[in-house]
């Protein structure tokens, strides 16, 4: 079996194909197939090895917990949509805001109940605020910008009860395994959060632009345009899209059951947050002398999955008692859950790439080359720049995390750089691509939820995100000298 320089071929091939085709799954499959042939040469034996790598992903309990978490969480989001809490929340928001600034700050305040999932954040909040921003004279492109930049950058910083957590911890675990570091993946992820500088700077840039009413040229032009058509039809769209687009046409009787029940959104979320922490303690309490040590020992992927299952079941019982039918719950759960299958497929072929690069000797290659030549102080900024570039061209933060984390952690460990900061740099770069790239699913989703012109929105948000990007680069250059 060849080793050494060939160990970079699987992720390198995957990145090149992803850039060229904008298709992350075929790119990952190709990289995995090439790596499998290198490990076990031969047409049949190579394919068999690839299947073996993929099967190992599903046979690993921690991996399976993450995949199940993603699927059930997506179904849980479907139940929240069905229950109608969003409609009551929308009415309350309109009562407490009277200006552009107030409306946009209220949009950010809804983060407290929509931070669980990026897609849910964008779609649900977009449907709540779209009629309201029309009434306030705010451009749809600015709404799309606010939606997207309050999604991934925020969710990536939240350490519990989000769809990102399981995936991010999983990629960290893969990188730690390749680097041979005996550390808790979840605790390491927690320690990396303060170094996700792009998420932090992008949030600050957006909030300050709201407070001081500052707009770059393209956004200022869009804000100056007339919205007479939207204002004329506001009365017609004010309520109907909140029901039709979010819930679907489920009949007048079902619509009446959903009137103003804001607690259908609040109660499950308020249950999930403390329950996640409790289950973390519960899975790690054996032999632990304190709560903090229990968290360190916790089986994080299992804990979050158990908390989610309990919360989903509780929410379903509440909705059944309110008169929702079992068929409504089942249909909405699986309709939404099945939307995450593509992401699960990405994980199923991305995780094995970490295994095949390890089998081909990537850690040894890094030791012989980069480890001896690259100053550890500059590893975080180089990783951030590389990750941002990859994420922008392939349009997938999760794909970028999965591709580069297995390389980043060994590189930081070998060069003596900060492993936590390097991990933060990967998450920061991936988030940059998520909110900036025109190919990103989140930019497409944000434009769609806001009913904005996609390319006008992409052009208008670019100066804000580039400002945050430059600030993040400066921080990645400075902080290695301070810690």
């Amino acid at each position: 079996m060849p080793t050494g320089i060939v160990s970079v071929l699987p992720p390198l091939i995957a990145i090149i194909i992803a850039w060229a085709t904008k298709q992350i799954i075929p790119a990952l499959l190709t990289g995995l197939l090439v790596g499998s042939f290198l490990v076990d040469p031969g047409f049949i034996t190579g394919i068999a090895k690839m299947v073996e790598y993929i099967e190992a992903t599903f046979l690993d309990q921690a991996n399976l917990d993450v995949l199940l978490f993603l699927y059930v969480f997506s179904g849980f989001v479907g139940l929240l949509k069905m229950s109608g809490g969003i409609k009551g929340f929308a009415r309350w928001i309109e009562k407490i805001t009277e200006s552009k600034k107030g409306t946009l700050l209220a949009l950010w305040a809804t983060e407290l109940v929509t931070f669980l999932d990026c897609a849910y954040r964008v779609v649900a909040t977009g449907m709540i605020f779209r009629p309201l921003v029309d009434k306030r004279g705010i451009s749809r492109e600015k709404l799309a910008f606010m939606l997207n930049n309050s999604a991934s950058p925020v969710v990536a910083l939240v350490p519990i009860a989000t769809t990102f957590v399981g995936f991010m911890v999983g990629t960290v675990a893969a990188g730690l395994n390749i680097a041979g570091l005996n550390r808790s993946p979840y605790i390491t992820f927690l320690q990396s959060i303060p170094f996700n500088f792009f998420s932090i700077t992008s949030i600050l840039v957006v909030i300050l632009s709201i407070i001081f009413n500052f707009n770059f040229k393209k956004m200022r032009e869009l804000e100056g345009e007339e919205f007479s058509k939207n204002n004329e039809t506001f009365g017609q769209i004010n309520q109907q899209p909140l029901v039709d687009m979010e819930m679907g046409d489920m009949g007048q009787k079902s619509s009446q059951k959903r009137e103003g029940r804001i607690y259908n959104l609040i109660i499950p979320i308020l249950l999930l947050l403390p329950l996640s922490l409790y289950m973390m303690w519960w899975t790690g309490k054996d032999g632990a002398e304190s709560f903090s040590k229990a968290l360190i020992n916790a089986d994080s992927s299992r804990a979050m999955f158990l908390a989610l299952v309990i919360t989903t079941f509780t929410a379903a019982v509440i909705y059944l008692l309110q008169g929702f039918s079992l068929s409504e719950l089942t249909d909405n759960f699986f309709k939404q859950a099945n939307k995450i299958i593509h992401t699960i497929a990405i994980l199923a072929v991305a995780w094995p790439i970490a295994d095949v690069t390890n089998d081909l000797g990537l850690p040894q290659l890094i030791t012989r080359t980069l480890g001896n030549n690259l100053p550890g102080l500059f590893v975080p900024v180089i990783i951030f720049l590389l990750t941002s570039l990859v994420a922008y061209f392939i349009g997938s933060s999760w794909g970028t995390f999965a591709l580069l984390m297995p390389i980043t952690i060994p590189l930081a460990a070998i060069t003596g750089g900060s492993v936590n900061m390097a991990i933060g740099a990967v998450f920061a770069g991936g988030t940059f691509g998520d909110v900036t790239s025109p190919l990103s699913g989140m930019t497409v989703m944000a434009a769609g939820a806001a009913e904005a012109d996609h390319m006008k929105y992409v052009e208008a948000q670019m100066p804000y995100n580039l400002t945050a990007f430059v600030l993040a680069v400066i921080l990645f250059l400075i902080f290695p000298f301070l810690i």
Side-chain angles (χ1 to χ4, degrees), residues 162-238:
T162 75
T163 49
F164 266 46
V165 172
F167 186 95
M168 296 170 84
V169 171
T171 59
V172 170
L176 291 174
N177 182 56
I178 290 178
L181 298 177
N182 186 23
R183 298 172 55 172
S184 164
Y186 182 73
I187 297 301
T188 302
F189 164 65
L190 287 179
Q191 294 169 341
S192 75
I193 289 176
F195 302 113
N196 187 341
F197 291 136
F198 177 78
S199 287
I200 295 169
T201 57
S202 65
I203 292 170
L204 288 175
V205 167
V206 176
I207 295 296
L208 290 175
S209 75
I210 297 173
I211 294 175
F212 295 103
N213 193 29
F214 174 78
N215 290 304
F216 285 99
K217 181 179 179 182
K218 182 63 178 180
M219 192 70 79
R220 187 164 58 247
E221 292 174 354
L222 292 170
E223 288 294 279
E225 292 178 358
E226 295 295 330
F227 297 95
S228 58
K229 182 177 179 180
N230 289 333
N231 290 332
E232 289 173 3
T233 59
F234 177 76
Q236 301 173 14
I237 67 173
N238 190 26

Side-chain angles (χ1 to χ4, degrees), residues 4 287 313 380 418:
F313 179 78
S418 169

